[in-house]
Amino acid sequence: MSKTTTIILVVLGCLLLAVANLALWATLDIFNAGRFGDKVAEGIQSPEASQALAGPIVDRLMESYPELPAIAYAPAVEAVAWMLQRPLFTPVIKSSAAISMKVMTTSAQDVVGIDIAEVASNAGSTVVGVISAVSPEAAESAGAALDDAIATSQESGRLAIYEQGRTPKLRGFSNLAPWLALLGYLGAIVLMALSYMRSQDQPRALTYIGVGIMVTAVLGFLLFSPLVQAVAQNNIANPTMQIVVGEVISALLQGFLILSLLVFSIGAIVLIVNHVTSSQDETGTAASRDSAAQPAQDNPSTSSPPPAEGNGD
């Protein structure tokens, strides 16, 4: 097999490997309800996302109650941001993640967002306490207004991240992803093994394979990560919700980063094994040449004819 054919087979194998990596990550972290909920909770409960969400949630609570003193707004935002990061609120986020999963992978149409009722009910007393420390006179009216706002929040539903019909649809990919991962890895292994076994220079072919695997891992992550961010944020006009979705995607991409590092390590191992094996072969070849040359040096009579005997005459 020529050098060009070997390179072509390795490149095709790397393309299949890239597809398989993507499909395996999606299968494990997006289409697995439990892991998806954990990653969504991790993203939304990050300091950046919780702070970004706190403002709209408090706006929703206070917009119908202009009598609520302005001094209540800042403490309310801080209290809600704090509440969003507490483990107590994690089940609420996972519930929202389950709705998001259903909308993405089925024909269901629904608003994907955060149920603000529980946030409001937990943050209300904290807000009133902070206001009371700053202005006791304002605390009484703030408490009454927040109680009404909490009651309203229970009827107002979710704070939308994706409006109805705007959520990315992955139904077809969710069914294909496990098979793409399996067939992609098998195809990559077959093509790379074929390029190695049929190559006229197997050490060089193994070098191509190792480098190809490492490049696939690095480029796959560097190119795919911003693409996922762009697709996820494409249908979101609200800058606040873009921050929230960006944090969720970053949490999800941690799994893809770990997978890419694992694949990169496999490529590095291939190169190391190839280097060690090639060095041993060269050492063995050199030793064989030396051992073959040694008898000739020790017994020069075997390599040169005896001198001719002269005539006594």
Side-chain angles (χ1 to χ4, degrees), residues 202-246:
Q202 291 186 338
R204 184 180 296 273
L206 208 56
T207 300
Y208 293 154
I209 292 171
V211 171
I213 292 173
M214 295 170 68
V215 170
T216 299
V218 173
L219 289 183
F221 182 78
L222 293 179
L223 297 178
F224 179 69
S225 297
L227 178 62
V228 172
Q229 290 277 10
V231 170
Q233 297 176 336
N234 182 53
N235 292 331
I236 302 177
N238 189 327
T240 296
M241 295 309 167
Q242 288 183 348
I243 294 174
V244 174
V245 172

mmCIF file of all heavy atoms in Angstrom, residues 202-246:
data_model
loop_
_atom_site.group_PDB
_atom_site.id
_atom_site.type_symbol
_atom_site.label_atom_id
_atom_site.label_comp_id
_atom_site.label_asym_id
_atom_site.label_seq_id
_atom_site.Cartn_x
_atom_site.Cartn_y
_atom_site.Cartn_z
ATOM 1 N N GLN A 202 5.295 0.277 8.344
ATOM 2 C CA GLN A 202 4.348 0.243 9.451
ATOM 3 C C GLN A 202 4.661 1.237 10.576
ATOM 4 O O GLN A 202 3.735 1.850 11.118
ATOM 5 C CB GLN A 202 4.255 -1.185 10.002
ATOM 6 C CG GLN A 202 3.575 -2.145 9.038
ATOM 7 C CD GLN A 202 3.359 -3.511 9.652
ATOM 8 O OE1 GLN A 202 4.038 -3.895 10.600
ATOM 9 N NE2 GLN A 202 2.408 -4.259 9.098
ATOM 10 N N PRO A 203 5.906 1.452 10.962
ATOM 11 C CA PRO A 203 6.173 2.480 11.985
ATOM 12 C C PRO A 203 5.694 3.869 11.562
ATOM 13 O O PRO A 203 5.135 4.615 12.370
ATOM 14 C CB PRO A 203 7.697 2.432 12.147
ATOM 15 C CG PRO A 203 8.059 1.029 11.784
ATOM 16 C CD PRO A 203 7.137 0.676 10.663
ATOM 17 N N ARG A 204 5.908 4.211 10.295
ATOM 18 C CA ARG A 204 5.442 5.508 9.812
ATOM 19 C C ARG A 204 3.912 5.568 9.818
ATOM 20 O O ARG A 204 3.316 6.592 10.175
ATOM 21 C CB ARG A 204 5.975 5.784 8.407
ATOM 22 C CG ARG A 204 5.606 7.169 7.869
ATOM 23 C CD ARG A 204 6.172 7.360 6.469
ATOM 24 N NE ARG A 204 7.617 7.344 6.468
ATOM 25 C CZ ARG A 204 8.364 8.429 6.689
ATOM 26 N NH1 ARG A 204 7.787 9.586 6.957
ATOM 27 N NH2 ARG A 204 9.672 8.331 6.647
ATOM 28 N N ALA A 205 3.263 4.462 9.436
ATOM 29 C CA ALA A 205 1.798 4.416 9.456
ATOM 30 C C ALA A 205 1.270 4.590 10.875
ATOM 31 O O ALA A 205 0.270 5.291 11.102
ATOM 32 C CB ALA A 205 1.303 3.093 8.864
ATOM 33 N N LEU A 206 1.934 3.979 11.836
ATOM 34 C CA LEU A 206 1.510 4.114 13.226
ATOM 35 C C LEU A 206 1.700 5.551 13.715
ATOM 36 O O LEU A 206 0.915 6.048 14.533
ATOM 37 C CB LEU A 206 2.294 3.139 14.106
ATOM 38 C CG LEU A 206 1.589 2.644 15.384
ATOM 39 C CD1 LEU A 206 0.260 2.017 15.053
ATOM 40 C CD2 LEU A 206 2.481 1.659 16.124
ATOM 41 N N THR A 207 2.723 6.222 13.219
ATOM 42 C CA THR A 207 2.909 7.638 13.545
ATOM 43 C C THR A 207 1.758 8.470 12.997
ATOM 44 O O THR A 207 1.221 9.354 13.683
ATOM 45 C CB THR A 207 4.244 8.153 12.969
ATOM 46 O OG1 THR A 207 5.317 7.400 13.533
ATOM 47 C CG2 THR A 207 4.426 9.633 13.269
ATOM 48 N N TYR A 208 1.362 8.210 11.760
ATOM 49 C CA TYR A 208 0.213 8.910 11.181
ATOM 50 C C TYR A 208 -1.036 8.689 12.031
ATOM 51 O O TYR A 208 -1.814 9.626 12.274
ATOM 52 C CB TYR A 208 -0.056 8.419 9.755
ATOM 53 C CG TYR A 208 1.016 8.758 8.745
ATOM 54 C CD1 TYR A 208 1.206 7.971 7.614
ATOM 55 C CD2 TYR A 208 1.838 9.865 8.923
ATOM 56 C CE1 TYR A 208 2.193 8.271 6.684
ATOM 57 C CE2 TYR A 208 2.821 10.179 7.990
ATOM 58 C CZ TYR A 208 2.994 9.377 6.876
ATOM 59 O OH TYR A 208 3.955 9.681 5.961
ATOM 60 N N ILE A 209 -1.243 7.461 12.462
ATOM 61 C CA ILE A 209 -2.439 7.134 13.252
ATOM 62 C C ILE A 209 -2.431 7.887 14.582
ATOM 63 O O ILE A 209 -3.427 8.497 14.981
ATOM 64 C CB ILE A 209 -2.525 5.615 13.489
ATOM 65 C CG1 ILE A 209 -2.796 4.888 12.166
ATOM 66 C CG2 ILE A 209 -3.610 5.278 14.506
ATOM 67 C CD1 ILE A 209 -2.678 3.382 12.249
ATOM 68 N N GLY A 210 -1.302 7.854 15.294
ATOM 69 C CA GLY A 210 -1.224 8.541 16.581
ATOM 70 C C GLY A 210 -1.434 10.035 16.463
ATOM 71 O O GLY A 210 -2.205 10.639 17.220
ATOM 72 N N VAL A 211 -0.748 10.657 15.483
ATOM 73 C CA VAL A 211 -0.909 12.099 15.280
ATOM 74 C C VAL A 211 -2.340 12.426 14.861
ATOM 75 O O VAL A 211 -2.927 13.414 15.324
ATOM 76 C CB VAL A 211 0.104 12.595 14.227
ATOM 77 C CG1 VAL A 211 -0.185 14.045 13.846
ATOM 78 C CG2 VAL A 211 1.523 12.460 14.746
ATOM 79 N N GLY A 212 -2.910 11.597 13.994
ATOM 80 C CA GLY A 212 -4.284 11.838 13.543
ATOM 81 C C GLY A 212 -5.284 11.797 14.691
ATOM 82 O O GLY A 212 -6.193 12.634 14.775
ATOM 83 N N ILE A 213 -5.131 10.839 15.585
ATOM 84 C CA ILE A 213 -6.029 10.736 16.737
ATOM 85 C C ILE A 213 -5.901 11.976 17.629
ATOM 86 O O ILE A 213 -6.902 12.539 18.081
ATOM 87 C CB ILE A 213 -5.729 9.459 17.529
ATOM 88 C CG1 ILE A 213 -6.117 8.220 16.722
ATOM 89 C CG2 ILE A 213 -6.485 9.462 18.868
ATOM 90 C CD1 ILE A 213 -5.707 6.908 17.369
ATOM 91 N N MET A 214 -4.675 12.415 17.872
ATOM 92 C CA MET A 214 -4.465 13.585 18.727
ATOM 93 C C MET A 214 -5.032 14.854 18.085
ATOM 94 O O MET A 214 -5.687 15.665 18.762
ATOM 95 C CB MET A 214 -2.971 13.754 19.017
ATOM 96 C CG MET A 214 -2.385 12.612 19.836
ATOM 97 S SD MET A 214 -0.571 12.656 19.936
ATOM 98 C CE MET A 214 -0.331 14.128 20.923
ATOM 99 N N VAL A 215 -4.801 15.028 16.794
ATOM 100 C CA VAL A 215 -5.325 16.211 16.099
ATOM 101 C C VAL A 215 -6.853 16.189 16.091
ATOM 102 O O VAL A 215 -7.504 17.234 16.267
ATOM 103 C CB VAL A 215 -4.760 16.278 14.669
ATOM 104 C CG1 VAL A 215 -5.473 17.349 13.856
ATOM 105 C CG2 VAL A 215 -3.270 16.551 14.706
ATOM 106 N N THR A 216 -7.441 15.020 15.896
ATOM 107 C CA THR A 216 -8.902 14.908 15.908
ATOM 108 C C THR A 216 -9.472 15.327 17.247
ATOM 109 O O THR A 216 -10.489 16.038 17.310
ATOM 110 C CB THR A 216 -9.315 13.454 15.608
ATOM 111 O OG1 THR A 216 -8.833 13.082 14.312
ATOM 112 C CG2 THR A 216 -10.830 13.303 15.635
ATOM 113 N N ALA A 217 -8.840 14.917 18.326
ATOM 114 C CA ALA A 217 -9.322 15.274 19.662
ATOM 115 C C ALA A 217 -9.256 16.780 19.889
ATOM 116 O O ALA A 217 -10.212 17.394 20.370
ATOM 117 C CB ALA A 217 -8.501 14.535 20.719
ATOM 118 N N VAL A 218 -8.130 17.396 19.515
ATOM 119 C CA VAL A 218 -7.951 18.831 19.763
ATOM 120 C C VAL A 218 -8.867 19.663 18.877
ATOM 121 O O VAL A 218 -9.609 20.534 19.354
ATOM 122 C CB VAL A 218 -6.476 19.228 19.540
ATOM 123 C CG1 VAL A 218 -6.312 20.744 19.634
ATOM 124 C CG2 VAL A 218 -5.586 18.541 20.557
ATOM 125 N N LEU A 219 -8.832 19.405 17.573
ATOM 126 C CA LEU A 219 -9.666 20.187 16.662
ATOM 127 C C LEU A 219 -11.149 19.949 16.903
ATOM 128 O O LEU A 219 -11.958 20.873 16.783
ATOM 129 C CB LEU A 219 -9.310 19.849 15.209
ATOM 130 C CG LEU A 219 -7.961 20.355 14.699
ATOM 131 C CD1 LEU A 219 -7.790 20.009 13.223
ATOM 132 C CD2 LEU A 219 -7.836 21.855 14.903
ATOM 133 N N GLY A 220 -11.501 18.716 17.240
ATOM 134 C CA GLY A 220 -12.906 18.422 17.509
ATOM 135 C C GLY A 220 -13.463 19.289 18.625
ATOM 136 O O GLY A 220 -14.549 19.855 18.511
ATOM 137 N N PHE A 221 -12.695 19.419 19.694
ATOM 138 C CA PHE A 221 -13.169 20.237 20.818
ATOM 139 C C PHE A 221 -13.139 21.725 20.478
ATOM 140 O O PHE A 221 -14.099 22.455 20.751
ATOM 141 C CB PHE A 221 -12.319 19.972 22.061
ATOM 142 C CG PHE A 221 -12.784 20.742 23.268
ATOM 143 C CD1 PHE A 221 -13.888 20.316 23.999
ATOM 144 C CD2 PHE A 221 -12.125 21.900 23.659
ATOM 145 C CE1 PHE A 221 -14.321 21.035 25.100
ATOM 146 C CE2 PHE A 221 -12.551 22.616 24.758
ATOM 147 C CZ PHE A 221 -13.663 22.185 25.485
ATOM 148 N N LEU A 222 -12.041 22.188 19.867
ATOM 149 C CA LEU A 222 -11.905 23.617 19.576
ATOM 150 C C LEU A 222 -12.940 24.106 18.566
ATOM 151 O O LEU A 222 -13.413 25.244 18.653
ATOM 152 C CB LEU A 222 -10.492 23.916 19.067
ATOM 153 C CG LEU A 222 -9.355 23.724 20.083
ATOM 154 C CD1 LEU A 222 -8.015 24.036 19.424
ATOM 155 C CD2 LEU A 222 -9.568 24.595 21.307
ATOM 156 N N LEU A 223 -13.283 23.272 17.588
ATOM 157 C CA LEU A 223 -14.245 23.676 16.565
ATOM 158 C C LEU A 223 -15.687 23.437 16.987
ATOM 159 O O LEU A 223 -16.575 24.233 16.660
ATOM 160 C CB LEU A 223 -13.962 22.924 15.257
ATOM 161 C CG LEU A 223 -12.608 23.207 14.602
ATOM 162 C CD1 LEU A 223 -12.449 22.356 13.345
ATOM 163 C CD2 LEU A 223 -12.464 24.688 14.263
ATOM 164 N N PHE A 224 -15.925 22.352 17.721
ATOM 165 C CA PHE A 224 -17.299 21.988 18.051
ATOM 166 C C PHE A 224 -17.866 22.826 19.192
ATOM 167 O O PHE A 224 -19.057 23.159 19.183
ATOM 168 C CB PHE A 224 -17.348 20.502 18.416
ATOM 169 C CG PHE A 224 -18.715 20.017 18.793
ATOM 170 C CD1 PHE A 224 -19.718 19.927 17.838
ATOM 171 C CD2 PHE A 224 -19.017 19.661 20.097
ATOM 172 C CE1 PHE A 224 -20.985 19.495 18.180
ATOM 173 C CE2 PHE A 224 -20.274 19.233 20.448
ATOM 174 C CZ PHE A 224 -21.269 19.143 19.483
ATOM 175 N N SER A 225 -17.046 23.195 20.160
ATOM 176 C CA SER A 225 -17.549 23.928 21.330
ATOM 177 C C SER A 225 -18.219 25.247 20.959
ATOM 178 O O SER A 225 -19.364 25.504 21.368
ATOM 179 C CB SER A 225 -16.415 24.165 22.327
ATOM 180 O OG SER A 225 -15.914 22.941 22.818
ATOM 181 N N PRO A 226 -17.572 26.132 20.175
ATOM 182 C CA PRO A 226 -18.268 27.369 19.797
ATOM 183 C C PRO A 226 -19.475 27.125 18.910
ATOM 184 O O PRO A 226 -20.438 27.905 18.947
ATOM 185 C CB PRO A 226 -17.182 28.172 19.060
ATOM 186 C CG PRO A 226 -16.150 27.186 18.661
ATOM 187 C CD PRO A 226 -16.171 26.120 19.696
ATOM 188 N N LEU A 227 -19.447 26.044 18.125
ATOM 189 C CA LEU A 227 -20.608 25.729 17.283
ATOM 190 C C LEU A 227 -21.824 25.396 18.140
ATOM 191 O O LEU A 227 -22.939 25.857 17.874
ATOM 192 C CB LEU A 227 -20.268 24.570 16.350
ATOM 193 C CG LEU A 227 -21.404 24.082 15.442
ATOM 194 C CD1 LEU A 227 -21.843 25.190 14.503
ATOM 195 C CD2 LEU A 227 -20.970 22.854 14.658
ATOM 196 N N VAL A 228 -21.614 24.596 19.192
ATOM 197 C CA VAL A 228 -22.716 24.246 20.084
ATOM 198 C C VAL A 228 -23.246 25.498 20.787
ATOM 199 O O VAL A 228 -24.465 25.690 20.920
ATOM 200 C CB VAL A 228 -22.257 23.208 21.128
ATOM 201 C CG1 VAL A 228 -23.319 22.982 22.172
ATOM 202 C CG2 VAL A 228 -21.940 21.900 20.434
ATOM 203 N N GLN A 229 -22.349 26.360 21.246
ATOM 204 C CA GLN A 229 -22.768 27.604 21.889
ATOM 205 C C GLN A 229 -23.630 28.433 20.941
ATOM 206 O O GLN A 229 -24.671 28.970 21.333
ATOM 207 C CB GLN A 229 -21.538 28.412 22.315
ATOM 208 C CG GLN A 229 -20.757 27.823 23.471
ATOM 209 C CD GLN A 229 -21.347 28.188 24.825
ATOM 210 O OE1 GLN A 229 -22.442 28.730 24.910
ATOM 211 N NE2 GLN A 229 -20.620 27.872 25.880
ATOM 212 N N ALA A 230 -23.202 28.542 19.682
ATOM 213 C CA ALA A 230 -23.929 29.357 18.710
ATOM 214 C C ALA A 230 -25.312 28.782 18.425
ATOM 215 O O ALA A 230 -26.307 29.521 18.363
ATOM 216 C CB ALA A 230 -23.121 29.472 17.423
ATOM 217 N N VAL A 231 -25.394 27.462 18.258
ATOM 218 C CA VAL A 231 -26.690 26.834 17.965
ATOM 219 C C VAL A 231 -27.647 26.986 19.153
ATOM 220 O O VAL A 231 -28.831 27.295 18.982
ATOM 221 C CB VAL A 231 -26.489 25.342 17.620
ATOM 222 C CG1 VAL A 231 -27.826 24.627 17.547
ATOM 223 C CG2 VAL A 231 -25.743 25.204 16.303
ATOM 224 N N ALA A 232 -27.130 26.796 20.366
ATOM 225 C CA ALA A 232 -27.981 26.867 21.555
ATOM 226 C C ALA A 232 -28.503 28.278 21.794
ATOM 227 O O ALA A 232 -29.630 28.457 22.269
ATOM 228 C CB ALA A 232 -27.202 26.380 22.774
ATOM 229 N N GLN A 233 -27.691 29.285 21.466
ATOM 230 C CA GLN A 233 -28.083 30.666 21.733
ATOM 231 C C GLN A 233 -28.737 31.341 20.537
ATOM 232 O O GLN A 233 -29.155 32.501 20.643
ATOM 233 C CB GLN A 233 -26.860 31.469 22.162
ATOM 234 C CG GLN A 233 -26.237 30.981 23.468
ATOM 235 C CD GLN A 233 -24.961 31.724 23.818
ATOM 236 O OE1 GLN A 233 -24.301 32.276 22.949
ATOM 237 N NE2 GLN A 233 -24.602 31.744 25.089
ATOM 238 N N ASN A 234 -28.866 30.635 19.429
ATOM 239 C CA ASN A 234 -29.358 31.228 18.195
ATOM 240 C C ASN A 234 -30.783 31.764 18.328
ATOM 241 O O ASN A 234 -31.108 32.820 17.779
ATOM 242 C CB ASN A 234 -29.292 30.203 17.061
ATOM 243 C CG ASN A 234 -29.751 30.772 15.737
ATOM 244 O OD1 ASN A 234 -29.269 31.815 15.293
ATOM 245 N ND2 ASN A 234 -30.689 30.099 15.082
ATOM 246 N N ASN A 235 -31.639 31.052 19.035
ATOM 247 C CA ASN A 235 -33.053 31.439 19.134
ATOM 248 C C ASN A 235 -33.368 32.228 20.390
ATOM 249 O O ASN A 235 -34.524 32.304 20.800
ATOM 250 C CB ASN A 235 -33.932 30.182 19.087
ATOM 251 C CG ASN A 235 -33.889 29.506 17.724
ATOM 252 O OD1 ASN A 235 -33.688 30.160 16.710
ATOM 253 N ND2 ASN A 235 -34.058 28.194 17.707
ATOM 254 N N ILE A 236 -32.340 32.787 21.023
ATOM 255 C CA ILE A 236 -32.551 33.550 22.258
ATOM 256 C C ILE A 236 -32.158 35.001 22.001
ATOM 257 O O ILE A 236 -30.999 35.296 21.708
ATOM 258 C CB ILE A 236 -31.720 32.982 23.418
ATOM 259 C CG1 ILE A 236 -32.077 31.517 23.646
ATOM 260 C CG2 ILE A 236 -31.945 33.777 24.683
ATOM 261 C CD1 ILE A 236 -31.246 30.860 24.723
ATOM 262 N N ALA A 237 -33.129 35.904 22.102
ATOM 263 C CA ALA A 237 -32.859 37.325 21.896
ATOM 264 C C ALA A 237 -32.469 38.024 23.192
ATOM 265 O O ALA A 237 -31.778 39.039 23.164
ATOM 266 C CB ALA A 237 -34.088 38.004 21.288
ATOM 267 N N ASN A 238 -32.911 37.475 24.329
ATOM 268 C CA ASN A 238 -32.655 38.106 25.623
ATOM 269 C C ASN A 238 -31.204 37.880 26.042
ATOM 270 O O ASN A 238 -30.776 36.737 26.222
ATOM 271 C CB ASN A 238 -33.608 37.512 26.670
ATOM 272 C CG ASN A 238 -33.557 38.257 27.981
ATOM 273 O OD1 ASN A 238 -32.519 38.761 28.382
ATOM 274 N ND2 ASN A 238 -34.685 38.325 28.667
ATOM 275 N N PRO A 239 -30.411 38.947 26.230
ATOM 276 C CA PRO A 239 -29.001 38.776 26.625
ATOM 277 C C PRO A 239 -28.842 38.032 27.955
ATOM 278 O O PRO A 239 -27.880 37.279 28.127
ATOM 279 C CB PRO A 239 -28.482 40.215 26.727
ATOM 280 C CG PRO A 239 -29.411 41.024 25.885
ATOM 281 C CD PRO A 239 -30.751 40.359 26.013
ATOM 282 N N THR A 240 -29.785 38.250 28.877
ATOM 283 C CA THR A 240 -29.704 37.559 30.167
ATOM 284 C C THR A 240 -29.805 36.055 29.980
ATOM 285 O O THR A 240 -29.023 35.279 30.549
ATOM 286 C CB THR A 240 -30.820 38.041 31.106
ATOM 287 O OG1 THR A 240 -30.623 39.431 31.385
ATOM 288 C CG2 THR A 240 -30.810 37.261 32.413
ATOM 289 N N MET A 241 -30.742 35.622 29.170
ATOM 290 C CA MET A 241 -30.932 34.195 28.944
ATOM 291 C C MET A 241 -29.788 33.607 28.115
ATOM 292 O O MET A 241 -29.479 32.426 28.227
ATOM 293 C CB MET A 241 -32.280 33.937 28.271
ATOM 294 C CG MET A 241 -33.455 34.316 29.151
ATOM 295 S SD MET A 241 -33.333 33.574 30.807
ATOM 296 C CE MET A 241 -34.596 34.487 31.685
ATOM 297 N N GLN A 242 -29.142 34.429 27.296
ATOM 298 C CA GLN A 242 -27.962 33.949 26.587
ATOM 299 C C GLN A 242 -26.842 33.611 27.563
ATOM 300 O O GLN A 242 -26.106 32.635 27.375
ATOM 301 C CB GLN A 242 -27.490 35.007 25.588
ATOM 302 C CG GLN A 242 -28.393 35.151 24.367
ATOM 303 C CD GLN A 242 -27.855 36.160 23.370
ATOM 304 O OE1 GLN A 242 -26.936 36.921 23.673
ATOM 305 N NE2 GLN A 242 -28.426 36.173 22.176
ATOM 306 N N ILE A 243 -26.712 34.416 28.627
ATOM 307 C CA ILE A 243 -25.725 34.119 29.661
ATOM 308 C C ILE A 243 -26.050 32.794 30.340
ATOM 309 O O ILE A 243 -25.172 31.946 30.559
ATOM 310 C CB ILE A 243 -25.678 35.256 30.699
ATOM 311 C CG1 ILE A 243 -25.152 36.541 30.060
ATOM 312 C CG2 ILE A 243 -24.799 34.862 31.889
ATOM 313 C CD1 ILE A 243 -25.219 37.743 30.977
ATOM 314 N N VAL A 244 -27.327 32.604 30.671
ATOM 315 C CA VAL A 244 -27.750 31.387 31.363
ATOM 316 C C VAL A 244 -27.484 30.160 30.486
ATOM 317 O O VAL A 244 -26.894 29.170 30.940
ATOM 318 C CB VAL A 244 -29.240 31.471 31.730
ATOM 319 C CG1 VAL A 244 -29.728 30.141 32.312
ATOM 320 C CG2 VAL A 244 -29.485 32.599 32.727
ATOM 321 N N VAL A 245 -27.908 30.222 29.232
ATOM 322 C CA VAL A 245 -27.699 29.090 28.326
ATOM 323 C C VAL A 245 -26.210 28.851 28.096
ATOM 324 O O VAL A 245 -25.756 27.704 28.017
ATOM 325 C CB VAL A 245 -28.435 29.335 26.992
ATOM 326 C CG1 VAL A 245 -28.067 28.258 25.969
ATOM 327 C CG2 VAL A 245 -29.939 29.330 27.220
ATOM 328 N N GLY A 246 -25.428 29.933 28.007
ATOM 329 C CA GLY A 246 -23.986 29.781 27.840
ATOM 330 C C GLY A 246 -23.349 29.026 28.991
ATOM 331 O O GLY A 246 -22.478 28.170 28.782
#
